[in-house]
Amino acid sequence: MRPLRCMKQLRIIVLGKHRSFIMDLLDQVQATGYTVLCHRAGHGPVPEPPFIFNELETFVMITAMVPEDMIQPILAGVAPLFGRHAGVMFVSDLAGSRPPERVPVAEAGQTAEVSITTR
């Protein structure tokens, strides 16, 4: 396990139709990775869309671990979206580490260790 690093955790919740916008933004600021969780629900001032089998109309949560210097460019990128559409972004302090990634090896049915370099 690598040593812990002080980072920021982002949790961005938007309608599914805006998912690619957020993913493109994270790619542009060179976030090294993120996770997209589909079909989120909750309670608040924005009405929940009706449950339908269309992930463009349900909420998604995109979570990422980024260095502090990426926060302002990401905030600048999401501000116009949040000015016109429902969404929220949470930022919290995080001490995190990324262990070597396990990548399946199809033929042998085993896993291989792959080291990930983070900034």
Side-chain angles (χ1 to χ4, degrees), residues 98-118:
R98 288 190 175 147
E101 184 177 339
R102 299 203 174 265
V103 178
V105 178
E107 294 179 317
Q110 301 174 351
T111 59
E113 296 282 334
V114 177
S115 182
I116 299 173
T117 304
T118 59

Side-chain angles (χ1 to χ4, degrees), residues 21 62 114:
F21 174 84
I62 298 113
V114 177

Side-chain angles (χ1 to χ4, degrees), residues 10-73:
L10 295 177
R11 286 178 288 164
I12 304 170
I13 301 170
V14 295
L15 283 173
K17 62 185 169 187
H18 303 298
R19 174 180 60 186
S20 61
F21 174 84
I22 301 297
M23 292 167 52
D24 290 345
L25 175 62
L26 293 173
D27 290 339
Q28 287 174 16
V29 299
Q30 299 179 344
T32 57
Y34 47 83
T35 301
V36 178
L37 303 166
C38 297
H39 306 293
R40 302 295 91 193
H43 176 75
V46 177
E48 182 178 334
F51 182 75
I52 54 176
F53 297 99
N54 177 352
E55 59 182 47
L56 297 179
E57 295 299 327
T58 60
F59 285 105
V60 297
M61 180 170 67
I62 298 113
T63 182
M65 182 174 86
V66 298
E68 186 169 0
D69 63 347
M70 285 188 187
I71 298 299
Q72 288 306 317

